[in-house]
Amino acid sequence: MDNRALQVSAIKEGTVIDHIPAERLFDVINILGLFNSLEMITFGTNLDSKQLGKKGIIKVANRFFQGEEIDKIALIAPHAKLNIIKDYEVIEKRVVETPSEIVSIVKCFNPKCITNHEKIKTRFSVVSNKPIELKCRYCEKITYENQIEIV
Ligand code: CTP
Ligand code: ZN
């Protein structure tokens, strides 16, 4: 980043989810249920990134994400970094890890899959991490990272 100014203001306390693929920003907001949050949230997208070309970033005051929430982030933004901020300082940086099994959350990409026709939870095993490949437990078809749609 150039050193003139932050593109999105610094926060005092909370979590900065950085290095989100630009086109996935709103999926991350959605999956974390941030629409309902009463905390201060700032975000930006299509920001310049050396790694991703363009990236998204979300800053949530006073929130520290846990297990399943981090799994969800990993699913749509496997290169995301979680920066834990206390008193304006980054006190911890966490990389996200994709879980080995995904229940619900994602739609099966196979239009013929039973999960797209009946009211049952989707279920996938994660056969690859980066890029993500999810194998459906019902139809055995693979849903690739760029095909991931949130239920
Ligand atoms: N940040 C913030 N508020 C703070 C401190 C940091 O919003 N009080 C943000 C920064 O803008 C940056 C992220 O948290 O987007 C990580 O901060 P830092 O580790 O200082 O930046 P980089 O070294 O660029 O991070 P990276 O590891 O991603 O290269
Ligand atoms: Zn399926």
Side-chain angles (χ1 to χ4, degrees):
M1 192 196 296
D2 76 49
N3 51 19
R4 274 181 256 170
L6 288 178
Q7 294 180 95
V8 181
S9 305
I11 61 170
K12 180 165 193 279
E13 214 58 42
T15 302
V16 174
I17 310 170
D18 200 355
H19 305 287
I20 301 168
E23 69 281 6
R24 289 296 194 182
L25 179 86
F26 291 97
D27 285 337
V28 176
I29 290 175
N30 188 15
I31 211 167
L32 294 174
L34 297 180
F35 291 112
N36 301 318
S37 173
L38 300 176
E39 298 295 349
M40 185 180 81
I41 298 175
T42 48
F43 60 85
T45 191
N46 297 320
L47 307 178
D48 290 323
S49 157
K50 283 183 199 113
Q51 289 167 39
L52 298 175
K54 296 283 179 190
K55 70 168 184 181
I57 193 167
I58 305 170
K59 304 187 178 189
V60 190
N62 304 316
R63 275 285 295 274
F64 303 95
F65 298 100
Q66 310 292 343
E68 198 182 310
E69 293 171 313
I70 297 175
D71 289 353
K72 289 180 178 178
I73 299 170
L75 200 54
I76 39 186
H79 299 276
K81 269 191 211 160
L82 268 64
N83 299 276
I84 314 302
I85 315 290
K86 294 262 164 89
D87 203 15
Y88 288 104
E89 298 289 330
V90 179
I91 59 151
E92 194 187 333
K93 268 182 195 287
R94 298 181 63 174
V95 290
V96 297
E97 273 172 51
T98 318
S100 57
E101 191 186 40
I102 309 287
V103 180
S104 209
I105 309 180
V106 175
K107 267 174 65 107
C108 179
F109 194 69
N110 173 13
K112 293 189 180 145
C113 181
I114 186 166
T115 60
N116 287 315
H117 299 280
E118 288 181 26
K119 254 196 146 185
I120 40 178
K121 282 184 180 170
T122 59
R123 206 170 265 275
F124 302 91
S125 51
V126 178
V127 292
S128 161
N129 260 326
K130 285 176 189 179
I132 290 175
E133 296 179 14
L134 305 175
K135 185 173 185 184
C136 179
R137 290 288 198 83
Y138 294 95
C139 71
E140 305 209 311
K141 292 278 188 294
I142 303 283
T143 298
Y144 295 95
E145 185 168 314
N146 62 350
Q147 300 170 329
I148 290 177
E149 266 184 65
I150 305 309
V151 175

